[in-house]
């Protein structure tokens, strides 16, 4: 459960960073924990993390790669609840199984926030969704099935 909370916190912080107009700086110091590379907006990234994943609907608003921490995060906008549900089904068709899911009604708003951890034994996905916004954190960590 602690790992799930950590992953959701990472996605939330990356999502909030995505709301900023300021681009993250790339630090070339190999000992730094801030070696985040911003990938091209508007294009689904093609790299070792996204190989084998179906391309989700919506528009890529931000994509980040951190080779030091070994993850890729992709944020999309302009997708519907139906498209989100269809995409989650596609992930399962591509061999991903759900390890954990949580949802919460957002206080003061009329929508539910969804958080899901999936794994195919090779890659782990942490997915967060609120209407119109999808965040996908991809790593090579595996998570146990529940």
């Amino acid at each position: 459960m602690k790992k799930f909370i950590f992953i959701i916190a990472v996605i939330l912080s990356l999502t909030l960073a995505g709301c900023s107009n300021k681009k993250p700086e790339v630090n070339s110091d190999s000992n730094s924990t801030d070696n985040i590379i911003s990938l091209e907006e508007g294009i689904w990234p093609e790299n070792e993390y996204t190989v084998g994943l179906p391309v989700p609907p919506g528009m890529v608003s931000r994509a980040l790669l951190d080779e030091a921490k070994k993850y890729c995060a992709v944020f999309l906008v302009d997708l519907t609840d139906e498209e989100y549900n269809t995409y989650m089904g596609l992930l399962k068709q591509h061999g991903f199984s759900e390890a954990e899911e949580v949802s919460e009604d957002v206080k003061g708003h009329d929508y539910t926030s969804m958080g899901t951890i999936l794994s195919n034994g090779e890659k782990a996905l942490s997915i967060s969704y609120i209407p119109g916004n999808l965040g996908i954190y991809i790593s090579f960590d595996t998570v146990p099935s529940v």
Side-chain angles (χ1 to χ4, degrees), residues 9-123:
V10 167
I11 287 179
L12 180 59
S13 66
L14 290 172
T15 302
L16 293 175
C19 295
S20 169
N21 287 332
K22 183 179 177 186
K23 299 283 184 189
E25 294 180 16
V26 177
N27 186 337
S28 61
D29 178 6
S30 63
N31 294 324
S32 173
T33 58
D34 296 323
N35 290 323
I36 297 174
I37 300 167
S38 286
L39 304 175
E40 190 171 348
E41 293 178 18
I43 298 174
W44 176 255
E46 293 185 18
N47 57 45
E48 64 182 321
Y49 296 95
T50 60
V51 168
L53 293 180
V55 177
M59 184 186 79
V60 175
S61 62
R62 186 170 189 139
L64 306 169
L65 181 64
D66 188 331
E67 293 177 343
K69 292 183 182 178
K70 302 192 184 306
Y71 74 84
C72 180
V74 185
F75 303 95
L76 298 105
V77 294
D78 300 331
L79 66 155
T80 66
D81 291 353
E82 185 176 319
E83 289 172 325
Y84 163 75
N85 290 327
T86 300
Y87 184 67
M88 295 302 286
L90 278 174
L91 288 172
K92 291 176 183 175
Q93 289 175 10
H94 280 80
F96 286 88
S97 58
E98 189 176 294
E100 193 163 346
E101 180 180 67
V102 65
S103 64
E104 184 175 336
D105 291 333
V106 178
K107 198 179 255 187
H109 298 280
D110 191 24
Y111 62 83
T112 301
S113 171
M114 304 288 294
T116 309
I117 295 177
L118 301 112
S119 177
N120 68 356
E122 179 185 323
K123 293 179 187 173

